[in-house]
Amino acid sequence: MTIDYRKTDKAHVWHPLFQHQRLEETPLAVFESAHGTTLVDAEGREYLDAYSALWNVNVGYGRQEIADAVYAQIQKLPYYPHSQINVPATVLAEQLAACLPGDLNHVYFCNSGSEANETAIKIARQYGRQTYPGENRYKIISRYRGYHGFTYGALSATGQARRRKAFEPLVPGFLHAHPPYCYRCPLGLDVSSCSIACADEIERIIQSEGPETVIGVIAEPIIGGGGVIVPPDEYLPKLRQICDDYGLLLILDEVITGFGRTGKMFACEHWDVQPDLITLAKGLTSGYLPLGACVASTAVFNAFLGESDENKEFSQVCTYGGHPVACAAGIANLEILQKERLWENSEKVGAHLLSKLETLRNLTIVGDVRGKGLMIAVEFVQADGTHLETATTNRIVGQLREKSIIVGKSDMLLTNRKISFSSHHR
Ligand SMILES: Cc1ncc(COP(=O)(O)O)c(C=O)c1O
């Protein structure tokens, strides 16, 4: 049975981020079912899904309530475009506004994290044109190592050469600053005395470009795919302040960090920072159906109000945005999260896991252990402290899979050339 699936798949399916020529060497798993945190493959073997699929099955697999809600909504109203009201989208938007920090209260629904960021970027640019009519504010600053999606705008904000290089040139008007990656500070500084110079770099970019050309900063509160980079506590409040000082929008990409993963419902709550736009996907439905959202503050939303002949409406449409069935899944998912207070579980179980993983630090191959809630990374290094080679990383991930544990990996290397780094690393 499995062999047949593999054969058919090999003949017809093109998988993401996968070198098909290596299929014999690294066969793909055929997962057929799942419950809780356990995945079951076609041979009946069980695995602990320590990666939560793709950081997204926040409430776990096999939730009957979501299945029931989806079934009921398909029978009632499977689809109608969001140019009109549908009840699940309205209810979910109200519930999101109630649990998001501050006055983030106008929800634009789409289908994925990439689309949510694409939407945020476009809202920011249109906002810039409407709010500063005499200026030409369109530039957006993001960080190296950040990941915001695969579509052209979101990819342009992404700061990972590995994801970008095949598709360049990308969209003009995106600038990148160094991330708050304290383990290997790109500025060669030590967090105990750096005064968060990587945030100052963002201000320097704004000044160098001319503030009248910049409209926003987009950032993951904790960089996910770029290596689980938890910023120092001063970092996000500093970004907020810089955005306020220059009249820029702060866009927080909570596609991974949202919905309890880091020990709070939303990661920005750790630092008490409210963005002007927040982007959501993944844990919004825990992956049961595709759904993304970009949520705007009152001030941003109000900038789009005007007489019809002013043409201020947000000029983007998405056939499946606000899909009633996906939104019904979102409502059931949010109910589970809130009833079971799953962010508290992330905080508790995450702290336990982190403390256990900390004990690995005495291994030569372990350079750093870091994370927040259930978003945790172990950074492997070579004996001299430089990055581990991709092949070795792949071997570790493969060996964990043989031990029935599925983990993700982040590998930013484009070259084996070693860069010296500052003295606080061993
Ligand atoms: C932080 C972040 N933003 C955006 C995205 C893009 O989301 P999607 O793959 O749903 O388009 C991802 C995907 O992993 C992500 O990690």
Side-chain angles (χ1 to χ4, degrees), residues 55 112-115 117 147-150 220 225 253 255-256 281-282:
W55 330 74
S112 67
S114 300
E115 286 186 8
N117 286 323
Y147 182 74
H148 299 292
F150 66 90
E220 298 158 81
D253 174 346
V255 168
I256 288 180
K282 295 193 188 271

Side-chain angles (χ1 to χ4, degrees), residues 29-51:
V30 185
F31 290 123
E32 278 195 340
S33 66
H35 53 273
T37 55
T38 303
L39 282 164
V40 186
D41 74 12
E43 284 89 16
R45 182 167 168 186
E46 297 196 338
Y47 299 81
L48 170 67
D49 182 10
Y51 196 12

Side-chain angles (χ1 to χ4, degrees), residues 16-38:
L17 305 180
F18 185 69
Q19 177 44 259
H20 278 253
Q21 195 171 307
R22 291 182 55 226
L23 193 57
E24 305 301 325
E25 230 175 281
T26 47
L28 298 171
V30 185
F31 290 123
E32 278 195 340
S33 66
H35 53 273
T37 55
T38 303

Side-chain angles (χ1 to χ4, degrees), residues 167-199:
F167 313 114
E168 289 176 334
L170 302 179
V171 179
F174 288 84
L175 306 152
H176 295 83
H178 287 298
Y181 180 26
C182 303
Y183 174 63
R184 292 177 193 281
C185 176
L187 303 175
L189 302 171
D190 191 298
V191 68
S192 61
S193 56
C194 70
S195 308
I196 320 298
C198 51

